[in-house]
């Protein structure tokens, strides 16, 4: 479990995160959503300690990460896997070496065992025959997937993904979402995902935190989100006319105003 | 004010560098890699520069010593001492500040800007220790070696130029090299080499490690790193000469 308590973060005199609190449970996907520039990345970086929050603290399994000394922080960090928005692959290393890097650093496994593990995770993110390529030779989406592979190679207890499926096609996005969801449940990971992809929200959002200009505007689950009355949240979710119409239809259906034989499919025509 | 800030942060970086490696083998690998990057990578340019500076010193010394009273072998002595005392350590290190310094600053700057340093931090690796320390130690190991090579090649270059231009025959040159030789000069040159090696590696590492912004800033940081390193080398050069000679 990760608890965020009253986090505040400013750059110069511009406050980017305003007193955000949240509780992110273990074994489920916790999503931070919001428009571009709403502070998702900054909040995530505060959570992992890449930014020092000006106020408030972050607790990992009840222990204050913010107040820990360096060596205790290192212990927690060894249990963290993180995918960066820009992938952050080591560009002097090949795909295989990138994914193997955490294993080289923190295990004393044999090369054969490490290679097996690397191929296993690369396989899970649908990457084959790219082992010997350098990051510069990959597409943006492939880099993302290598980043995910590197983040999960050590079986982390906490997984942070900053926009895992921006720049991916809907099909691959779905594969990645499913993968994140699967490993979260399989290994009982506390997963935090930044996204603005509504598909992911509906697919894997067990807990959703909606950020609006650095404030926590709404929180809840994917079951509740489409029925939320929050104006700003609705503007964000139902940005497309199609979805708006679909929602109205759904609501009308529920109230029994229209016959059940008309369904969402009609709207597309 | 900015300069005090920089100095403070530089010292904090140096202090933060001292910590136990997470995995000695990986650090060793990184160290060897840096030795080859810094050492082998600049061997060519160092060789070319030193041969030419030796050659030029021979020709110019001969040009200045016109009096027939002075024996020719003095040329060899002068070349030997200027090469050992000044040219091999200082000139070579200034060139290395450009070659090695900009490489270190831009490598670290790129890693910072593309969040690779953050990615390492998140894994629980002390990036100051993993990225900066091996570079400094590698520089301390290989740059004095380069300076020694530069000294030898410089003196040899002088000998070559002397015989090619018929200024001084090789046998006279060799004889001159042995006259009134002081071993202390070599030791002094090594003191210089170690000090400069530290400057060349740590200052660019500082500018690269703390880059903020994008690709443009990486370029700026590496230029700044080279300029500051060169100035520091010249200051240290004067200081060492004043203190130790
Ligand atoms: N290092 C920084 N220095 C100054 N301001 C920053 C810094 N990083 C982010 N900001 C500001 O913080 C705000 C939030 O940025 P953030 O990167 O968290 O947005 P985001 O929600 O992740 O957006 P996106 O979906 O586009 O990634 C922005 O207004 C940005 O200008
Ligand atoms: Mg972001």
């Amino acid at each position: 479990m990760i608890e965020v308590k009253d986090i505040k973060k400013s750059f110069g005199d511009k406050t980017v995160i305003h007193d955000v609190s949240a509780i992110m449970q273990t074994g489920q996907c916790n999503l931070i959503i919001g428009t571009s520039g709403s502070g998702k990345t900054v909040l995530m970086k505060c959570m992992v300690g890449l930014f020092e929050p000006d106020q408030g603290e972050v607790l990992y399994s009840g222990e204050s990460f913010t107040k820990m000394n360096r060596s205790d922080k290192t212990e927690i960090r060894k249990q963290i896997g993180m995918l960066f928005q820009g992938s952050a692959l080591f560009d002097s290393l090949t795909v295989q070496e990138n994914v193997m890097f955490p294993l080289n650093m923190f295990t004393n496994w044999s090369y054969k065992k490490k290679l097996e593990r690397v191929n296993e995770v690369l396989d899970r993110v649908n990457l084959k025959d790219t082992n010997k390529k350098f990051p510069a030779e990959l597409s943006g989406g492939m880099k993302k997937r290598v980043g995910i592979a590197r983040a999960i190679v050590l079986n982390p207890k906490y997984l942070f993904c900053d926009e895992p499926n921006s720049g991916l096609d809907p099909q691959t996005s779905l594969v990645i979402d499913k993968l994140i969801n699967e490993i979260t449940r399989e290994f009982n990971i506390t997963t935090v995902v930044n996204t603005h992809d509504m598909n992911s929200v509906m697919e894997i959002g067990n807990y959703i935190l909606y950020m609006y200009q650095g404030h926590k505007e709404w929180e809840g689950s994917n079951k509740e989100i489409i029925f939320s009355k929050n104006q700003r949240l609705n503007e964000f979710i139902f940005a497309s006319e199609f979805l708006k119409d679909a929602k109205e239809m759904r609501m009308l259906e529920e109230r029994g105003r229209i016959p059940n034989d008309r369904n969402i499919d009609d709207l597309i025509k | 004010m900015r300069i005090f800030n920089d100095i403070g942060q530089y010292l904090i970086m140096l202090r933060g560098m001292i910590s136990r490696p997470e995995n000695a083998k990986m650090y060793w690998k990184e160290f060897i890699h840096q030795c080859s990057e810094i050492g082998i990578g600049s061997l060519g340019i160092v060789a070319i520069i030193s041969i030419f500076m030796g050659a030029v010193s021979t020709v110019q010394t001969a040009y200045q010593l016109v009096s027939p009273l002075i024996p020719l072998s003095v040329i060899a002595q002068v070349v030997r001492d200027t090469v050992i005392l000044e040219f091999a350590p200082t000139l070579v290190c200034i060139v290395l500040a450009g070659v090695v310094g900009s490489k270190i600053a831009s490598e670290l700057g790129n890693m910072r800007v593309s969040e690779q340093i953050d990615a390492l931090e998140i894994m629980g690796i002390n990036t100051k220790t993993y990225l900066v320390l091996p570079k400094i130690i590698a520089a301390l190991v290989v740059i004095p070696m380069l300076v020694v090579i530069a000294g030898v090649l410089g003196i040899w270059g002088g000998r070559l130029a002397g015989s090619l231009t018929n200024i001084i025959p090789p046998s006279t040159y060799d004889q001159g090299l042995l006259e009134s030789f002081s071993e202390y000069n070599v030791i002094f040159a090594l003191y210089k080499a170690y000090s400069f090696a530290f400057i060349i590696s740590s200052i660019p590492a500082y500018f690269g490690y703390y880059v903020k912004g994008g690709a443009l800033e990486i370029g700026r940081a590496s230029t700044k790193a080279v300029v500051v390193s060169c100035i520091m080398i010249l200051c240290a050069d004067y200081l060492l000469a004043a203190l130790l000679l």
Side-chain angles (χ1 to χ4, degrees), chain B residues 101-193:
Chain B
S102 65
K103 187 148 77 186
I104 291 179
S106 55
E107 182 190 327
L108 288 175
N110 176 44
M111 290 188 81
R112 166 67 73 196
V113 168
S114 60
E115 297 182 314
Q116 295 173 49
I117 294 187
D118 288 344
L120 286 166
E121 280 288 333
I122 283 299
M123 291 175 193
I125 294 164
N126 184 340
T127 50
K128 292 186 192 107
T129 317
Y130 181 62
L131 295 174
V132 180
L133 191 62
K135 290 186 174 58
I136 294 184
I137 297 181
L140 286 174
V141 171
V142 297
I143 288 180
M145 291 182 188
L146 287 175
V147 166
V148 170
I149 293 173
V152 172
L153 286 178
I155 292 170
W156 179 76
R159 185 173 185 268
L160 190 68
S163 68
L164 284 180
T165 53
N166 291 326
I167 291 171
I168 170 171
S171 57
T172 321
Y173 190 90
D174 292 346
Q175 180 205 337
L177 286 183
L178 296 173
E179 278 165 15
S180 65
F181 174 66
S182 141
E183 288 92 350
Y184 182 73
N185 287 355
V186 176
I187 296 176
F188 178 67
L190 286 177
Y191 281 144
K192 280 182 158 186

Side-chain angles (χ1 to χ4, degrees), chain A residues 203-214:
Chain A
E203 198 73 35
I204 61 173
N206 303 117
Y207 167 84
I208 299 157
L209 168 66
Y210 174 60
M211 296 283 293
Y212 182 81
Q213 294 184 354

Side-chain angles (χ1 to χ4, degrees), chain B residues 62-76:
Chain B
Y63 170 72
Q64 284 169 322
L65 295 181
V66 274
S67 160
L69 290 176
I70 302 171
L72 274 182
S73 65
V74 168
I75 295 176

Side-chain angles (χ1 to χ4, degrees), chain A residues 45 74 77 91 104-105, chain B residues 23 115-116 121-124:
Chain A
K45 286 190 173 174
T74 304
R77 284 204 169 146
D91 40 33
N104 286 336
M105 203 54 137
Chain B
N23 178 331
E115 297 182 314
Q116 295 173 49
E121 280 288 333
I122 283 299
M123 291 175 193

